[in-house]
Amino acid sequence: MNFEYFFRLFFSGLTRGSIYALLALGYTMVYGIIKLINFAHGEIYMIGAFTALIVAGALSLTGMPALAILVLASVVALVYSSMYGYTVEKIAYKPLRQAPRLSALIVAIGMSMFLQNYLLLAQTSNFLPFPDLLPEFSLPESWGGMVNGPQFLIFVTTAIIMVALTLLIKFTRMGKSMRATSQDKVMAALLGINVNRIISYTFIIGSFTAALGGILISSYTGQINYFIGFLAGIKAFVAAVLGGIGSIPGAVLGSIVLGMAESFAAGYISSVYEDVFAFVILVLILIFKPSGLLGKPEVQKV
Amino acid sequence: MLELRNVQTYYGNIKALKGIDITVNAGEIITLIGANGAGKSTTLMSICGIVPPREGSIRFKERELRGMDTDRIVGFGISQVPEGRHIFPHLTVRENLDMGAFLRRDKAEISRDIEYVYELFPILAERRNQAGGTLSGGEQQMLAISRALMARPTLLLLDEPSLGLAPLIVQQIFEIISQINRENGTTIFLVEQNAFQALKVANRGYVMETGTITMTDTAENLLNNEDVKRAYLGV
């Protein structure tokens, strides 16, 4: 067995998994709070990448160093995309809060198509080159060839975000009120929690991490178009279901498992069917363990 | 302290409250009794703005509550223990209590109040690190009352606190309710199907039938009223 090849696939799987995790968090958190699969979530990822591209393009004319461009473009794109997520919730989902869940789901699909086509009209249908903004740095000799600088940067960034988010959810006042709201909205309101504000926070956080994923992967692969959010979004959704929708650690675990599975399947079986594996996993998990790897069955007493 | 005037609440096109008037004075225990589906829970949900009334007025300490969001109403000092307890199943007992004090910032006083509710219900102290969903029905009811107390309410709304509990626990819950009223001066609005127990602890009572108040009197008079006896006390 070729270990170098194995580890190369391993790290490539970890890179994919990290990006899925950044996206899957948004799906699972939004589902946890308002029981909605936000199909427009992948579009926020794509909008994050586009915004970073446009800002970086403008800044590169000023002749700034690449790192400064990366930081500035990312900050602008993250804030802009977070506001996008916030606004989508306010215009499209909030009016349907009391409506049947199917109506909100259909609106989410509509919102996804709307945003894709809006970007298609406003920008272009062609693939655009994305500037290589991630700093190239050399890793220790012994890692050579198996993992590269940008991949390493993607895992580290993802790991930092996951730790920060876990601390936020577990220990802060805002995190506790998010957990309470996801478990019982009426009771949360009766204790003085502003439920609308908690829902907005959820969309803002989810959009932030999705946009970060979009920026990272685009500067890694080097190209974007209006459609990149669709497949990434669907796969991250599969990852969230695999981990147990509504569970944050589940979303991370599901994403890593999915990223690895895709990478190994493409490397050892065939890369032609790369995208099929995600959906095979979805079908299997729905048949054998519909609550997902870490999904909790409801504990309820009457 | 709390005045409901001509309150009308709808679920879609169904009129659940057909213009009710209720007055609660500071320091009292009042009870609202009636059969299933009479509109008792809807009354409490209307006060808290969960199901906002379409007509009428709800005044609390000279403020109009109708049209306000629940989190603001609660901020004026109204706590509710809703029917079915609504414990957060995946939060621990301690975290459930912390959520009760969500609007408070006085850390030292909050930990004193936690000790106070642990004294009221020692079983909660034992179970402090257990998930709320793993408690028994009686323990959940104790936790629900304690969580409401953590807000230091001036008005405590209790919805069917005795529902589904063993007689011994019911006894204990009613004793605690009058103790809270005596010791802290908390005004209590108690909704019950267990009319006998409720009238025994209350000062005054209201009887509700299909969305209207049909009778109001002192608790003692209601206990001795022939109609009430026949319909609600099973005598």
Side-chain angles (χ1 to χ4, degrees):
Chain A
M1 193 172 166
N2 182 342
F3 277 104
E4 202 187 303
Y5 185 59
F6 175 85
F7 278 109
R8 203 178 296 155
L9 292 177
F10 177 87
F11 285 114
S12 135
L14 200 58
T15 310
R16 275 167 182 266
S18 300
I19 299 296
Y20 292 155
L22 289 171
L23 259 168
L25 277 173
Y27 277 108
T28 217
M29 285 171 68
V30 165
Y31 186 84
I33 299 240
I34 55 172
K35 302 285 176 273
L36 167 76
I37 307 291
N38 178 16
F39 277 111
H41 193 57
E43 271 52 64
I44 300 292
Y45 158 99
M46 176 268 292
I47 286 168
F50 261 99
T51 315
L53 173 68
I54 292 165
V55 176
L59 288 176
S60 66
L61 299 176
T62 65
M64 271 189 202
L67 190 66
I69 293 179
L70 172 71
V71 171
L72 261 174
S74 303
V75 168
V76 173
L78 291 173
V79 171
Y80 186 76
S81 313
S82 303
M83 292 333 291
Y84 232 100
Y86 170 87
T87 314
V88 164
E89 192 270 328
K90 285 277 180 256
I91 1 187
Y93 305 147
K94 189 162 179 255
L96 290 168
R97 200 71 60 68
Q98 310 302 332
R101 273 161 64 183
L102 190 60
S103 315
L105 189 73
I106 290 165
V107 167
I109 294 171
M111 189 42 98
S112 161
M113 290 176 182
F114 170 78
L115 290 176
Q116 275 175 33
N117 287 289
Y118 168 69
L119 261 283
L120 169 66
L121 289 175
Q123 302 294 327
T124 162
S125 63
N126 299 324
F127 268 97
L128 297 174
F130 197 92
D132 183 15
L133 294 172
L134 295 182
E136 252 320 318
F137 55 93
S138 41
L139 290 160
E141 195 65 18
S142 54
W143 300 34
M146 290 184 272
V147 55
N148 56 36
Q151 282 182 332
F152 185 72
L153 210 70
I154 290 175
F155 326 137
V156 172
T157 315
T158 308
I160 292 171
I161 292 286
M162 298 302 152
V163 171
L165 204 63
T166 308
L167 295 177
L168 178 99
I169 302 269
K170 266 215 137 58
F171 299 111
T172 65
R173 194 173 124 93
M174 176 176 140
K176 278 189 198 168
S177 44
M178 287 172 91
R179 280 190 290 154
T181 306
S182 78
Q183 291 172 34
D184 193 328
K185 274 208 281 300
V186 168
M187 195 60 229
L190 285 174
L191 295 174
I193 294 170
N194 184 334
V195 172
N196 284 328
R197 193 179 301 158
I198 296 293
I199 294 171
S200 294
Y201 287 152
T202 309
F203 273 85
I204 289 172
I205 294 173
S207 303
F208 180 95
T209 62
L212 184 63
I215 299 166
L216 287 172
I217 197 67
S218 306
S219 32
Y220 178 55
T221 59
Q223 55 173 7
I224 59 173
N225 81 344
Y226 73 99
F227 202 60
I228 57 166
F230 182 74
L231 197 59
I234 295 281
K235 287 193 185 166
F237 166 64
V238 172
V241 172
L242 173 63
I245 190 120
S247 155
I248 291 175
V252 178
L253 179 68
S255 301
I256 302 292
V257 170
L258 182 66
M260 294 282 182
E262 281 193 333
S263 176
F264 284 120
Y268 286 120
I269 303 171
S270 162
S271 59
V272 179
Y273 298 111
E274 198 182 314
D275 293 335
V276 172
F277 299 115
F279 301 106
V280 170
I281 289 178
L282 179 66
V283 171
L284 292 179
I285 197 86
L286 288 178
I287 294 173
F288 294 108
K289 198 165 187 312
S291 63
L293 298 173
L294 300 185
K296 315 179 202 180
E298 281 301 304
V299 191
Q300 231 172 33
K301 273 228 166 77
V302 271
Chain B
M1 177 188 246
L2 178 74
E3 270 190 72
L4 277 69
R5 289 289 165 262
N6 186 31
V7 172
Q8 300 179 26
T9 303
Y10 291 73
Y11 290 108
N13 288 324
I14 300 157
K15 201 172 187 178
L17 298 182
K18 300 170 183 165
I20 62 166
D21 299 303
I22 293 177
T23 304
V24 185
N25 301 314
E28 282 190 305
I29 300 184
I30 77 134
T31 184
L32 178 61
I33 58 178
N36 244 340
K40 306 187 301 294
S41 298
T42 307
T43 307
L44 296 191
M45 288 302 176
S46 295
I47 295 172
C48 290
I50 299 278
V51 192
R54 226 180 262 178
E55 296 287 336
S57 107
I58 299 177
R59 297 184 74 80
F60 179 68
K61 294 182 177 167
E62 311 306 314
R63 275 193 207 89
E64 178 59 51
L65 301 184
R66 184 159 80 92
M68 268 188 201
D69 283 334
T70 304
D71 54 296
R72 276 199 69 199
I73 295 174
V74 171
F76 298 138
I78 301 180
S79 280
Q80 186 179 160
V81 179
E83 187 181 352
R85 308 181 271 268
H86 287 257
I87 295 302
F88 298 115
H90 304 300
L91 298 188
T92 64
V93 167
R94 176 61 204 263
E95 285 173 326
N96 267 282
L97 292 173
D98 287 338
M99 291 317 299
F102 180 75
L103 292 173
R104 291 172 58 186
R105 303 277 178 167
D106 46 342
K107 282 220 166 84
E109 291 289 294
I110 291 174
S111 22
R112 268 200 21 212
D113 286 359
I114 288 197
E115 289 312 313
Y116 170 73
V117 300
Y118 283 166
E119 264 169 49
L120 279 182
F121 301 110
I123 190 77
L124 295 183
E126 270 173 51
R127 304 227 187 281
R128 67 183 84 192
N129 294 320
Q130 229 169 289
T134 65
L135 301 186
S136 74
E139 290 163 354
Q140 287 196 354
Q141 189 63 59
M142 295 173 193
L143 178 55
I145 294 175
S146 302
R147 181 178 57 189
L149 289 178
M150 289 305 297
R152 285 206 178 165
T154 42
L155 174 64
L156 179 60
L157 312 175
L158 292 159
D159 196 350
E160 306 262 13
S162 74
L163 192 72
L165 301 184
L168 213 61
I169 313 254
V170 171
Q171 202 59 44
Q172 195 192 348
I173 298 273
F174 278 105
E175 272 162 29
I176 296 278
I177 290 170
S178 48
Q179 189 185 338
I180 292 163
N181 172 258
R182 251 192 343 266
E183 288 179 359
N184 312 336
T186 311
T187 309
I188 291 174
F189 187 150
L190 173 65
V191 160
E192 260 300 336
Q193 276 195 65
N194 188 339
F196 181 67
Q197 289 281 4
L199 288 170
K200 272 204 329 200
V201 299
N203 305 109
R204 292 188 302 119
Y206 289 84
V207 180
M208 193 170 209
E209 261 171 50
T210 55
T212 41
I213 300 288
T214 52
M215 212 187 294
T216 172
D217 209 330
T218 64
E220 212 184 317
N221 288 347
L222 287 174
L223 270 173
N224 294 318
N225 181 297
E226 289 305 320
D227 293 336
V228 174
K229 271 188 187 170
R230 214 177 15 254
Y232 303 106
L233 301 177
V235 218

